[in-house]
Short mmCIF file of all heavy atoms in Angstrom, two decimals:
data_model
loop_
_atom_site.label_atom_id
_atom_site.label_comp_id
_atom_site.label_asym_id
_atom_site.label_seq_id
_atom_site.Cartn_x
_atom_site.Cartn_y
_atom_site.Cartn_z
N MET A 129 -17.61 -33.49 131.59
CA MET A 129 -18.99 -33.17 132.04
C MET A 129 -18.94 -32.75 133.49
O MET A 129 -19.60 -31.75 133.86
CB MET A 129 -19.77 -34.49 131.92
CG MET A 129 -21.12 -34.51 132.72
SD MET A 129 -22.41 -34.07 131.64
CE MET A 129 -23.79 -34.33 132.67
N LYS A 130 -18.24 -33.49 134.41
CA LYS A 130 -18.18 -33.09 135.83
C LYS A 130 -17.69 -31.70 136.04
O LYS A 130 -18.19 -30.89 136.83
CB LYS A 130 -17.43 -34.13 136.60
CG LYS A 130 -18.13 -35.40 136.81
CD LYS A 130 -17.31 -36.35 137.65
CE LYS A 130 -17.91 -37.71 137.68
NZ LYS A 130 -17.14 -38.64 138.47
N SER A 131 -16.53 -31.36 135.31
CA SER A 131 -15.96 -30.03 135.48
C SER A 131 -16.95 -28.90 135.06
O SER A 131 -16.97 -27.85 135.59
CB SER A 131 -14.61 -29.92 134.77
OG SER A 131 -14.85 -29.92 133.39
N ARG A 132 -17.78 -29.24 133.99
CA ARG A 132 -18.69 -28.25 133.55
C ARG A 132 -19.74 -27.99 134.54
O ARG A 132 -20.20 -26.82 134.76
CB ARG A 132 -19.40 -28.78 132.27
CG ARG A 132 -20.19 -27.71 131.50
CD ARG A 132 -20.73 -28.15 130.26
NE ARG A 132 -19.67 -28.41 129.30
CZ ARG A 132 -19.79 -29.12 128.20
NH1 ARG A 132 -20.95 -29.71 127.88
NH2 ARG A 132 -18.77 -29.38 127.44
N ILE A 133 -20.09 -28.97 135.34
CA ILE A 133 -21.08 -28.77 136.44
C ILE A 133 -20.45 -27.89 137.51
O ILE A 133 -21.13 -27.03 138.00
CB ILE A 133 -21.54 -30.14 137.02
CG1 ILE A 133 -22.37 -30.93 135.99
CG2 ILE A 133 -22.29 -30.00 138.29
CD1 ILE A 133 -22.58 -32.38 136.40
N VAL A 134 -19.20 -28.10 137.79
CA VAL A 134 -18.51 -27.29 138.85
C VAL A 134 -18.49 -25.86 138.35
O VAL A 134 -18.76 -24.97 139.12
CB VAL A 134 -17.09 -27.82 139.10
CG1 VAL A 134 -16.32 -26.92 140.04
CG2 VAL A 134 -17.15 -29.23 139.71
N ASN A 135 -18.15 -25.64 137.18
CA ASN A 135 -18.09 -24.30 136.57
C ASN A 135 -19.42 -23.58 136.67
O ASN A 135 -19.49 -22.42 137.05
CB ASN A 135 -17.52 -24.24 135.15
CG ASN A 135 -16.23 -24.88 135.04
OD1 ASN A 135 -16.07 -26.02 134.70
ND2 ASN A 135 -15.11 -24.14 135.33
N GLN A 136 -20.47 -24.30 136.38
CA GLN A 136 -21.80 -23.74 136.44
C GLN A 136 -22.22 -23.40 137.87
O GLN A 136 -22.83 -22.36 138.19
CB GLN A 136 -22.89 -24.72 135.73
CG GLN A 136 -22.76 -24.72 134.27
CD GLN A 136 -23.08 -23.30 133.73
OE1 GLN A 136 -24.00 -22.63 134.07
NE2 GLN A 136 -22.23 -22.84 132.78
N LYS A 137 -21.82 -24.32 138.82
CA LYS A 137 -22.14 -24.03 140.19
C LYS A 137 -21.46 -22.76 140.71
O LYS A 137 -21.96 -21.97 141.43
CB LYS A 137 -21.68 -25.27 141.07
CG LYS A 137 -22.61 -26.38 141.03
CD LYS A 137 -22.09 -27.41 142.04
CE LYS A 137 -23.03 -28.62 142.13
NZ LYS A 137 -22.56 -29.59 143.12
N ILE A 138 -20.23 -22.58 140.27
CA ILE A 138 -19.42 -21.37 140.69
C ILE A 138 -20.17 -20.12 140.12
O ILE A 138 -20.44 -19.17 140.91
CB ILE A 138 -18.00 -21.35 140.09
CG1 ILE A 138 -17.19 -22.46 140.78
CG2 ILE A 138 -17.37 -20.06 140.16
CD1 ILE A 138 -15.86 -22.80 140.16
N LYS A 139 -20.66 -20.19 138.91
CA LYS A 139 -21.38 -19.02 138.31
C LYS A 139 -22.68 -18.83 139.10
O LYS A 139 -22.99 -17.62 139.34
CB LYS A 139 -21.68 -19.33 136.82
CG LYS A 139 -22.27 -18.09 136.10
CD LYS A 139 -22.41 -18.43 134.69
CE LYS A 139 -22.97 -17.16 133.96
NZ LYS A 139 -23.09 -17.51 132.49
N VAL A 140 -23.46 -19.83 139.31
CA VAL A 140 -24.73 -19.67 140.00
C VAL A 140 -24.51 -19.15 141.42
O VAL A 140 -25.26 -18.19 141.77
CB VAL A 140 -25.50 -21.02 140.09
CG1 VAL A 140 -26.63 -21.00 141.03
CG2 VAL A 140 -25.98 -21.44 138.68
N LEU A 141 -23.61 -19.63 142.18
CA LEU A 141 -23.32 -19.15 143.52
C LEU A 141 -22.81 -17.77 143.49
O LEU A 141 -23.27 -16.90 144.33
CB LEU A 141 -22.31 -20.05 144.23
CG LEU A 141 -22.85 -21.43 144.61
CD1 LEU A 141 -21.72 -22.40 145.03
CD2 LEU A 141 -23.89 -21.30 145.70
N ARG A 142 -21.96 -17.46 142.54
CA ARG A 142 -21.41 -16.10 142.48
C ARG A 142 -22.59 -15.08 142.18
O ARG A 142 -22.68 -14.03 142.86
CB ARG A 142 -20.40 -15.96 141.30
CG ARG A 142 -19.84 -14.54 141.10
CD ARG A 142 -18.94 -14.48 139.94
NE ARG A 142 -19.45 -14.92 138.70
CZ ARG A 142 -20.30 -14.13 137.93
NH1 ARG A 142 -20.62 -12.95 138.30
NH2 ARG A 142 -20.73 -14.57 136.77
N ASN A 143 -23.47 -15.39 141.31
CA ASN A 143 -24.62 -14.55 140.98
C ASN A 143 -25.55 -14.43 142.14
O ASN A 143 -26.14 -13.34 142.44
CB ASN A 143 -25.33 -15.08 139.74
CG ASN A 143 -24.59 -14.79 138.43
OD1 ASN A 143 -23.94 -13.77 138.32
ND2 ASN A 143 -24.67 -15.71 137.47
N LYS A 144 -25.77 -15.57 142.88
CA LYS A 144 -26.69 -15.46 144.06
C LYS A 144 -26.13 -14.47 145.09
O LYS A 144 -26.91 -13.80 145.79
CB LYS A 144 -26.78 -16.85 144.71
CG LYS A 144 -27.84 -17.69 144.04
CD LYS A 144 -28.00 -19.01 144.79
CE LYS A 144 -28.98 -19.94 144.11
NZ LYS A 144 -29.13 -21.19 144.84
N LEU A 145 -24.78 -14.41 145.22
CA LEU A 145 -24.20 -13.50 146.18
C LEU A 145 -24.09 -12.08 145.62
O LEU A 145 -23.61 -11.17 146.37
CB LEU A 145 -22.79 -14.04 146.61
CG LEU A 145 -22.83 -15.27 147.37
CD1 LEU A 145 -21.40 -15.77 147.61
CD2 LEU A 145 -23.40 -15.03 148.80
N GLY A 146 -24.37 -11.89 144.39
CA GLY A 146 -24.27 -10.57 143.72
C GLY A 146 -22.83 -10.09 143.56
O GLY A 146 -22.57 -8.89 143.58
N ILE A 147 -21.95 -11.09 143.27
CA ILE A 147 -20.58 -10.68 143.06
C ILE A 147 -20.31 -10.71 141.60
O ILE A 147 -20.60 -11.71 140.92
CB ILE A 147 -19.61 -11.76 143.74
CG1 ILE A 147 -19.91 -11.84 145.25
CG2 ILE A 147 -18.18 -11.48 143.52
CD1 ILE A 147 -19.13 -12.90 146.00
N SER A 148 -19.74 -9.69 141.09
CA SER A 148 -19.42 -9.59 139.63
C SER A 148 -18.19 -10.48 139.40
O SER A 148 -17.45 -10.88 140.26
CB SER A 148 -19.17 -8.16 139.21
OG SER A 148 -17.94 -7.70 139.79
N GLN A 149 -17.94 -10.79 138.08
CA GLN A 149 -16.74 -11.45 137.72
C GLN A 149 -15.55 -10.66 138.05
O GLN A 149 -14.55 -11.24 138.52
CB GLN A 149 -16.80 -11.79 136.19
CG GLN A 149 -17.65 -12.94 135.79
CD GLN A 149 -17.43 -13.33 134.36
OE1 GLN A 149 -16.89 -12.60 133.54
NE2 GLN A 149 -17.90 -14.46 134.02
N THR A 150 -15.60 -9.38 137.94
CA THR A 150 -14.49 -8.55 138.27
C THR A 150 -14.09 -8.56 139.66
O THR A 150 -12.98 -8.70 140.12
CB THR A 150 -14.74 -7.03 137.81
OG1 THR A 150 -15.02 -7.02 136.38
CG2 THR A 150 -13.58 -6.15 138.09
N MET A 151 -15.18 -8.48 140.59
CA MET A 151 -14.94 -8.54 142.04
C MET A 151 -14.42 -9.92 142.40
O MET A 151 -13.48 -10.05 143.23
CB MET A 151 -16.27 -8.29 142.74
CG MET A 151 -16.70 -6.88 142.65
SD MET A 151 -18.42 -6.65 143.31
CE MET A 151 -18.34 -7.39 144.86
N MET A 152 -14.99 -10.95 141.76
CA MET A 152 -14.49 -12.34 142.05
C MET A 152 -13.02 -12.44 141.71
O MET A 152 -12.22 -13.01 142.50
CB MET A 152 -15.32 -13.32 141.32
CG MET A 152 -15.20 -14.77 141.71
SD MET A 152 -15.92 -15.15 143.25
CE MET A 152 -15.48 -16.74 143.40
N ALA A 153 -12.70 -12.02 140.51
CA ALA A 153 -11.30 -12.08 140.02
C ALA A 153 -10.38 -11.36 140.95
O ALA A 153 -9.25 -11.84 141.30
CB ALA A 153 -11.16 -11.52 138.55
N GLU A 154 -10.74 -10.16 141.42
CA GLU A 154 -9.93 -9.37 142.35
C GLU A 154 -9.67 -10.12 143.63
O GLU A 154 -8.54 -10.14 144.13
CB GLU A 154 -10.58 -8.01 142.65
CG GLU A 154 -10.54 -7.08 141.52
CD GLU A 154 -11.31 -5.75 141.73
OE1 GLU A 154 -11.87 -5.62 142.89
OE2 GLU A 154 -11.30 -4.90 140.81
N ARG A 155 -10.69 -10.76 144.16
CA ARG A 155 -10.60 -11.47 145.48
C ARG A 155 -9.68 -12.72 145.24
O ARG A 155 -9.07 -13.17 146.23
CB ARG A 155 -11.98 -11.97 145.91
CG ARG A 155 -12.83 -10.70 146.38
CD ARG A 155 -14.13 -11.11 146.83
NE ARG A 155 -14.96 -9.90 147.09
CZ ARG A 155 -16.26 -9.98 147.56
NH1 ARG A 155 -16.84 -11.17 147.75
NH2 ARG A 155 -16.86 -8.85 147.80
N LEU A 156 -9.64 -13.26 144.05
CA LEU A 156 -8.82 -14.42 143.74
C LEU A 156 -7.33 -14.06 143.31
O LEU A 156 -6.53 -14.92 143.19
CB LEU A 156 -9.46 -15.29 142.68
CG LEU A 156 -10.79 -15.98 142.99
CD1 LEU A 156 -11.43 -16.61 141.79
CD2 LEU A 156 -10.59 -16.96 144.13
N GLY A 157 -7.18 -12.78 143.01
CA GLY A 157 -5.89 -12.31 142.58
C GLY A 157 -5.56 -12.70 141.16
O GLY A 157 -4.41 -12.96 140.73
N ILE A 158 -6.64 -12.79 140.30
CA ILE A 158 -6.42 -13.06 138.84
C ILE A 158 -7.18 -12.04 138.04
O ILE A 158 -7.92 -11.20 138.62
CB ILE A 158 -7.00 -14.51 138.56
CG1 ILE A 158 -8.48 -14.65 138.82
CG2 ILE A 158 -6.20 -15.54 139.31
CD1 ILE A 158 -9.13 -16.00 138.41
N SER A 159 -7.02 -12.05 136.78
CA SER A 159 -7.72 -11.11 135.89
C SER A 159 -9.14 -11.54 135.69
O SER A 159 -9.55 -12.71 135.88
CB SER A 159 -7.09 -11.04 134.57
OG SER A 159 -7.26 -12.21 133.76
N GLN A 160 -10.01 -10.58 135.30
CA GLN A 160 -11.47 -10.88 134.98
C GLN A 160 -11.53 -11.84 133.86
O GLN A 160 -12.35 -12.71 133.84
CB GLN A 160 -12.18 -9.57 134.84
CG GLN A 160 -13.68 -9.71 134.64
CD GLN A 160 -14.08 -10.16 133.15
OE1 GLN A 160 -13.38 -9.72 132.18
NE2 GLN A 160 -15.10 -10.86 132.99
N ASN A 161 -10.66 -11.71 132.92
CA ASN A 161 -10.58 -12.59 131.70
C ASN A 161 -10.37 -14.00 132.14
O ASN A 161 -10.98 -14.92 131.66
CB ASN A 161 -9.59 -12.06 130.71
CG ASN A 161 -9.66 -12.76 129.43
OD1 ASN A 161 -10.74 -13.04 128.90
ND2 ASN A 161 -8.47 -13.32 128.96
N ALA A 162 -9.38 -14.21 133.06
CA ALA A 162 -9.02 -15.55 133.51
C ALA A 162 -10.23 -16.10 134.25
O ALA A 162 -10.52 -17.32 134.12
CB ALA A 162 -7.81 -15.46 134.38
N PHE A 163 -10.90 -15.35 135.08
CA PHE A 163 -12.05 -15.85 135.81
C PHE A 163 -13.13 -16.20 134.89
O PHE A 163 -13.88 -17.26 135.03
CB PHE A 163 -12.56 -14.87 136.94
CG PHE A 163 -13.69 -15.50 137.75
CD1 PHE A 163 -13.40 -16.49 138.60
CD2 PHE A 163 -14.93 -15.14 137.51
CE1 PHE A 163 -14.35 -17.13 139.30
CE2 PHE A 163 -16.03 -15.72 138.17
CZ PHE A 163 -15.68 -16.74 139.09
N SER A 164 -13.40 -15.37 133.88
CA SER A 164 -14.40 -15.68 132.90
C SER A 164 -14.11 -17.06 132.26
O SER A 164 -15.03 -17.87 132.03
CB SER A 164 -14.45 -14.60 131.85
OG SER A 164 -15.36 -14.91 130.83
N LYS A 165 -12.84 -17.34 131.98
CA LYS A 165 -12.49 -18.61 131.36
C LYS A 165 -12.70 -19.75 132.29
O LYS A 165 -13.01 -20.82 131.86
CB LYS A 165 -11.01 -18.57 130.83
CG LYS A 165 -10.86 -17.64 129.64
CD LYS A 165 -9.45 -17.60 129.15
CE LYS A 165 -9.35 -16.74 127.88
NZ LYS A 165 -7.99 -16.81 127.32
N ILE A 166 -12.53 -19.48 133.58
CA ILE A 166 -12.88 -20.55 134.54
C ILE A 166 -14.35 -20.90 134.47
O ILE A 166 -14.71 -22.07 134.41
CB ILE A 166 -12.45 -20.10 135.95
CG1 ILE A 166 -10.93 -20.08 136.14
CG2 ILE A 166 -13.09 -21.01 137.04
CD1 ILE A 166 -10.45 -19.40 137.42
N GLU A 167 -15.16 -19.86 134.54
CA GLU A 167 -16.63 -20.16 134.48
C GLU A 167 -17.06 -20.81 133.20
O GLU A 167 -17.96 -21.62 133.17
CB GLU A 167 -17.42 -18.88 134.66
CG GLU A 167 -17.44 -18.43 136.07
CD GLU A 167 -18.45 -17.29 136.31
OE1 GLU A 167 -18.99 -16.69 135.37
OE2 GLU A 167 -18.73 -17.09 137.50
N LEU A 168 -16.33 -20.53 132.08
CA LEU A 168 -16.69 -21.10 130.81
C LEU A 168 -16.03 -22.50 130.64
O LEU A 168 -16.32 -23.19 129.69
CB LEU A 168 -16.23 -20.27 129.68
CG LEU A 168 -16.95 -18.87 129.57
CD1 LEU A 168 -16.25 -17.96 128.55
CD2 LEU A 168 -18.41 -19.17 129.11
N GLY A 169 -15.23 -22.94 131.62
CA GLY A 169 -14.62 -24.27 131.52
C GLY A 169 -13.36 -24.25 130.62
O GLY A 169 -12.96 -25.36 130.16
N GLN A 170 -12.81 -23.13 130.24
CA GLN A 170 -11.73 -23.05 129.34
C GLN A 170 -10.34 -23.14 130.12
O GLN A 170 -9.30 -23.25 129.42
CB GLN A 170 -11.79 -21.67 128.50
CG GLN A 170 -12.99 -21.68 127.62
CD GLN A 170 -13.13 -20.37 126.97
OE1 GLN A 170 -12.54 -19.32 127.28
NE2 GLN A 170 -14.06 -20.33 125.95
N ILE A 171 -10.37 -23.01 131.47
CA ILE A 171 -9.18 -23.18 132.25
C ILE A 171 -9.50 -24.25 133.22
O ILE A 171 -10.47 -24.19 133.94
CB ILE A 171 -8.82 -21.81 132.92
CG1 ILE A 171 -8.43 -20.78 131.99
CG2 ILE A 171 -7.73 -22.01 133.95
CD1 ILE A 171 -8.15 -19.41 132.61
N ASP A 172 -8.58 -25.21 133.38
CA ASP A 172 -8.74 -26.18 134.42
C ASP A 172 -8.41 -25.60 135.77
O ASP A 172 -7.55 -24.83 135.91
CB ASP A 172 -7.75 -27.32 134.13
CG ASP A 172 -8.15 -28.20 132.88
OD1 ASP A 172 -9.36 -28.21 132.60
OD2 ASP A 172 -7.28 -28.77 132.24
N LEU A 173 -9.29 -26.06 136.73
CA LEU A 173 -9.13 -25.56 138.14
C LEU A 173 -8.16 -26.41 138.86
O LEU A 173 -8.16 -27.65 138.82
CB LEU A 173 -10.50 -25.62 138.82
CG LEU A 173 -11.48 -24.58 138.43
CD1 LEU A 173 -12.85 -24.96 139.02
CD2 LEU A 173 -11.09 -23.23 138.95
N THR A 174 -7.20 -25.70 139.54
CA THR A 174 -6.32 -26.44 140.42
C THR A 174 -7.09 -26.63 141.72
O THR A 174 -8.03 -25.89 142.03
CB THR A 174 -5.06 -25.67 140.67
OG1 THR A 174 -5.35 -24.47 141.33
CG2 THR A 174 -4.26 -25.39 139.34
N LEU A 175 -6.64 -27.56 142.51
CA LEU A 175 -7.24 -27.76 143.83
C LEU A 175 -7.11 -26.49 144.75
O LEU A 175 -8.10 -26.05 145.39
CB LEU A 175 -6.64 -28.95 144.62
CG LEU A 175 -7.34 -29.46 145.81
CD1 LEU A 175 -8.82 -29.74 145.56
CD2 LEU A 175 -6.65 -30.66 146.35
N ASN A 176 -5.97 -25.88 144.65
CA ASN A 176 -5.71 -24.59 145.42
C ASN A 176 -6.76 -23.47 144.99
O ASN A 176 -7.30 -22.85 145.84
CB ASN A 176 -4.33 -24.17 145.22
CG ASN A 176 -3.94 -22.99 146.05
OD1 ASN A 176 -4.31 -22.95 147.24
ND2 ASN A 176 -3.21 -22.04 145.51
N ARG A 177 -6.89 -23.31 143.67
CA ARG A 177 -7.77 -22.35 143.21
C ARG A 177 -9.23 -22.64 143.61
O ARG A 177 -10.08 -21.74 143.89
CB ARG A 177 -7.70 -22.18 141.69
CG ARG A 177 -8.65 -21.23 141.10
CD ARG A 177 -8.20 -19.97 140.34
NE ARG A 177 -6.96 -19.43 140.58
CZ ARG A 177 -6.04 -19.22 139.57
NH1 ARG A 177 -6.28 -19.53 138.43
NH2 ARG A 177 -4.89 -18.66 139.89
N LEU A 178 -9.62 -23.94 143.55
CA LEU A 178 -10.97 -24.35 143.89
C LEU A 178 -11.29 -24.04 145.31
O LEU A 178 -12.28 -23.58 145.67
CB LEU A 178 -11.11 -25.94 143.63
CG LEU A 178 -12.55 -26.46 143.60
CD1 LEU A 178 -13.39 -25.76 142.61
CD2 LEU A 178 -12.46 -27.91 143.29
N TYR A 179 -10.27 -24.25 146.26
CA TYR A 179 -10.47 -23.84 147.62
C TYR A 179 -10.64 -22.37 147.85
O TYR A 179 -11.44 -21.96 148.59
CB TYR A 179 -9.30 -24.38 148.46
CG TYR A 179 -9.44 -25.80 149.00
CD1 TYR A 179 -8.93 -26.84 148.29
CD2 TYR A 179 -10.25 -26.01 150.08
CE1 TYR A 179 -9.03 -28.15 148.78
CE2 TYR A 179 -10.48 -27.32 150.58
CZ TYR A 179 -9.85 -28.36 149.91
OH TYR A 179 -10.05 -29.63 150.37
N LYS A 180 -9.88 -21.60 147.04
CA LYS A 180 -9.99 -20.12 147.14
C LYS A 180 -11.37 -19.68 146.66
O LYS A 180 -11.96 -18.76 147.28
CB LYS A 180 -8.89 -19.47 146.32
CG LYS A 180 -7.52 -19.60 146.90
CD LYS A 180 -6.47 -18.85 146.03
CE LYS A 180 -5.10 -18.91 146.55
NZ LYS A 180 -4.09 -18.30 145.74
N ILE A 181 -11.86 -20.31 145.59
CA ILE A 181 -13.19 -19.86 145.03
C ILE A 181 -14.22 -20.30 146.08
O ILE A 181 -15.11 -19.42 146.38
CB ILE A 181 -13.40 -20.60 143.66
CG1 ILE A 181 -12.52 -20.00 142.66
CG2 ILE A 181 -14.87 -20.55 143.32
CD1 ILE A 181 -12.52 -20.77 141.29
N ALA A 182 -14.14 -21.45 146.67
CA ALA A 182 -15.13 -21.85 147.65
C ALA A 182 -15.12 -20.87 148.86
O ALA A 182 -16.12 -20.55 149.40
CB ALA A 182 -14.80 -23.31 148.15
N ASP A 183 -13.91 -20.45 149.25
CA ASP A 183 -13.75 -19.52 150.35
C ASP A 183 -14.51 -18.14 150.06
O ASP A 183 -15.28 -17.64 150.83
CB ASP A 183 -12.32 -19.23 150.69
CG ASP A 183 -12.05 -18.42 151.94
OD1 ASP A 183 -12.74 -18.73 152.98
OD2 ASP A 183 -11.31 -17.44 151.83
N VAL A 184 -14.24 -17.64 148.84
CA VAL A 184 -14.91 -16.38 148.44
C VAL A 184 -16.41 -16.52 148.39
O VAL A 184 -17.18 -15.63 148.78
CB VAL A 184 -14.34 -15.88 147.08
CG1 VAL A 184 -15.12 -14.72 146.57
CG2 VAL A 184 -12.79 -15.53 147.17
N LEU A 185 -16.88 -17.67 147.91
CA LEU A 185 -18.27 -17.96 147.75
C LEU A 185 -18.93 -18.43 149.08
O LEU A 185 -20.13 -18.65 149.18
CB LEU A 185 -18.56 -18.99 146.71
CG LEU A 185 -18.18 -18.57 145.22
CD1 LEU A 185 -18.31 -19.71 144.28
CD2 LEU A 185 -18.94 -17.37 144.79
N GLU A 186 -18.08 -18.55 150.17
CA GLU A 186 -18.57 -18.93 151.42
C GLU A 186 -19.29 -20.21 151.49
O GLU A 186 -20.31 -20.44 152.09
CB GLU A 186 -19.45 -17.85 152.07
CG GLU A 186 -18.76 -16.44 152.13
CD GLU A 186 -19.72 -15.35 152.54
OE1 GLU A 186 -20.86 -15.51 152.73
OE2 GLU A 186 -19.14 -14.25 152.78
N VAL A 187 -18.70 -21.25 150.77
CA VAL A 187 -19.24 -22.60 150.71
C VAL A 187 -18.12 -23.55 151.01
O VAL A 187 -16.90 -23.18 150.82
CB VAL A 187 -19.95 -22.93 149.43
CG1 VAL A 187 -21.11 -22.08 149.17
CG2 VAL A 187 -18.96 -22.88 148.24
N ASP A 188 -18.42 -24.78 151.34
CA ASP A 188 -17.41 -25.84 151.44
C ASP A 188 -16.98 -26.22 149.98
O ASP A 188 -17.85 -26.30 149.18
CB ASP A 188 -17.95 -26.93 152.26
CG ASP A 188 -16.96 -27.98 152.60
OD1 ASP A 188 -16.52 -28.75 151.75
OD2 ASP A 188 -16.54 -27.98 153.80
N VAL A 189 -15.77 -26.61 149.82
CA VAL A 189 -15.30 -26.98 148.50
C VAL A 189 -16.10 -28.22 148.03
O VAL A 189 -16.32 -28.43 146.79
CB VAL A 189 -13.78 -27.25 148.52
CG1 VAL A 189 -13.47 -28.56 149.30
CG2 VAL A 189 -13.25 -27.31 147.08
N LEU A 190 -16.51 -29.01 148.94
CA LEU A 190 -17.38 -30.23 148.58
C LEU A 190 -18.64 -29.83 147.99
O LEU A 190 -19.28 -30.56 147.10
CB LEU A 190 -17.60 -31.13 149.77
CG LEU A 190 -16.39 -31.86 150.35
CD1 LEU A 190 -16.72 -32.66 151.61
CD2 LEU A 190 -15.76 -32.77 149.33
N ASP A 191 -19.22 -28.71 148.38
CA ASP A 191 -20.45 -28.18 147.77
C ASP A 191 -20.29 -27.89 146.24
O ASP A 191 -21.23 -27.94 145.50
CB ASP A 191 -20.91 -26.97 148.49
CG ASP A 191 -21.37 -27.25 149.89
OD1 ASP A 191 -21.85 -28.32 150.15
OD2 ASP A 191 -21.28 -26.31 150.80
N LEU A 192 -19.05 -27.46 145.93
CA LEU A 192 -18.75 -27.17 144.55
C LEU A 192 -18.54 -28.48 143.63
O LEU A 192 -18.96 -28.49 142.52
CB LEU A 192 -17.53 -26.36 144.34
CG LEU A 192 -17.59 -24.94 144.97
CD1 LEU A 192 -16.27 -24.20 144.78
CD2 LEU A 192 -18.73 -24.14 144.22
N VAL A 193 -17.98 -29.47 144.26
CA VAL A 193 -17.58 -30.68 143.44
C VAL A 193 -18.54 -31.81 143.58
O VAL A 193 -18.46 -32.78 142.79
CB VAL A 193 -16.17 -31.16 143.81
CG1 VAL A 193 -15.10 -30.10 143.51
CG2 VAL A 193 -16.07 -31.59 145.26
N ARG A 194 -19.50 -31.77 144.53
CA ARG A 194 -20.45 -32.83 144.78
C ARG A 194 -21.42 -32.85 143.54
O ARG A 194 -21.97 -31.84 143.22
CB ARG A 194 -21.22 -32.63 146.12
CG ARG A 194 -22.18 -33.76 146.44
CD ARG A 194 -22.84 -33.56 147.78
NE ARG A 194 -21.81 -33.59 148.80
CZ ARG A 194 -21.69 -32.64 149.70
NH1 ARG A 194 -22.34 -31.50 149.67
NH2 ARG A 194 -20.74 -32.74 150.60
N ILE A 195 -21.61 -33.99 143.05
CA ILE A 195 -22.61 -34.21 141.93
C ILE A 195 -23.87 -34.88 142.55
O ILE A 195 -23.76 -35.98 143.06
CB ILE A 195 -22.00 -35.19 140.88
CG1 ILE A 195 -20.64 -34.61 140.39
CG2 ILE A 195 -23.00 -35.32 139.69
CD1 ILE A 195 -20.65 -33.27 139.69
N GLU A 196 -24.90 -34.15 142.53
CA GLU A 196 -26.22 -34.67 143.07
C GLU A 196 -26.76 -35.73 142.14
O GLU A 196 -26.75 -35.55 140.94
CB GLU A 196 -27.16 -33.62 143.39
CG GLU A 196 -26.94 -32.78 144.61
CD GLU A 196 -26.22 -31.50 144.31
OE1 GLU A 196 -26.45 -30.95 143.25
OE2 GLU A 196 -25.47 -31.08 145.20
N GLU A 197 -27.25 -36.78 142.70
CA GLU A 197 -27.88 -37.83 141.99
C GLU A 197 -29.30 -37.34 141.65
O GLU A 197 -29.99 -36.82 142.54
CB GLU A 197 -27.90 -39.13 142.73
CG GLU A 197 -26.57 -39.75 143.04
CD GLU A 197 -25.84 -40.16 141.77
OE1 GLU A 197 -26.53 -40.70 140.83
OE2 GLU A 197 -24.59 -40.00 141.71
N PRO A 198 -29.83 -37.66 140.45
CA PRO A 198 -31.20 -37.28 140.19
C PRO A 198 -32.19 -38.09 141.07
O PRO A 198 -31.88 -39.23 141.26
CB PRO A 198 -31.40 -37.63 138.67
CG PRO A 198 -30.05 -38.17 138.22
CD PRO A 198 -29.12 -38.27 139.33
N SER A 199 -33.21 -37.42 141.51
CA SER A 199 -34.20 -38.15 142.33
C SER A 199 -35.28 -38.82 141.61
O SER A 199 -35.52 -38.61 140.49
CB SER A 199 -34.81 -37.25 143.43
OG SER A 199 -34.73 -35.86 143.06
#
């Protein structure tokens, strides 16, 4: 469940910045297919890759992994 939230946050932030999956993949040095699988939760994220994604999205890695409590 938690990883699914992280994957969705990545997708939402990427779309807000107007970055395509192809552009994101290029910046990460992976294929577009591999990045698509990351967003779909089909590939587990390593800590190193998570930091790279946060850097490209211009957010702190904690912003990606923090689970907000419902108010």
Side-chain angles (χ1 to χ4, degrees):
M129 166 98 174
K130 288 181 184 180
S131 69
R132 191 174 295 163
I133 293 170
V134 172
N135 301 98
Q136 285 299 311
K137 282 185 178 183
I138 291 169
K139 183 175 183 177
V140 167
L141 289 168
R142 178 182 61 76
N143 286 327
K144 279 185 180 179
L145 291 173
I147 300 172
S148 70
Q149 282 189 344
T150 302
M151 288 170 51
M152 189 74 179
E154 287 174 1
R155 293 178 185 180
L156 295 171
I158 61 176
S159 71
Q160 184 275 329
N161 187 47
F163 184 74
S164 176
K165 288 182 178 183
I166 288 172
E167 284 192 344
L168 293 171
Q170 296 174 347
I171 293 178
D172 290 331
L173 286 169
T174 63
L175 190 55
N176 187 43
R177 175 121 338 124
L178 194 58
Y179 272 98
K180 287 181 182 178
I181 290 170
D183 186 51
V184 172
L185 295 175
E186 301 173 354
V187 297
D188 191 284
V189 72
L190 291 177
D191 294 329
L192 294 177
V193 298
R194 184 177 296 123
I195 307 296
E196 282 98 33
E197 296 294 323
S199 24

